[in-house]
Amino acid sequence: MPAKVNKEECTACGTCVEECPVEAIIIDEDAGCAVVDEDECVDCGACEEACPVGAIKVE
């Protein structure tokens, strides 16, 4: 399953964007949070480990 972002917890810091090896995550400035491209996500968990507030999970 692709990574899921808890939009209420996400601070849009961009750490997950930097850690994603396939560039499947962007920061949506309008929404104020990270957004995962589910078609590109490879479920590696790098974003989950990197998130300083625990707002992203790979299930």
Side-chain angles (χ1 to χ4, degrees):
M1 299 252 339
K4 299 287 183 194
V5 178
N6 181 326
K7 295 176 182 178
E8 294 171 3
E9 292 181 9
C10 181
T11 62
C13 69
T15 303
C16 58
V17 175
E18 296 170 12
E19 291 297 318
C20 182
V22 294
E23 300 179 354
I25 307 172
I26 62 165
I27 298 297
D28 183 332
E29 298 295 331
D30 293 331
C33 66
V35 175
V36 178
D37 181 335
E38 294 184 3
D39 293 330
E40 295 296 319
C41 179
V42 294
D43 312 331
C44 69
C47 57
E48 182 176 10
E49 291 177 23
C51 183
V53 296
I56 191 164
K57 303 281 185 221
V58 178
E59 298 177 357

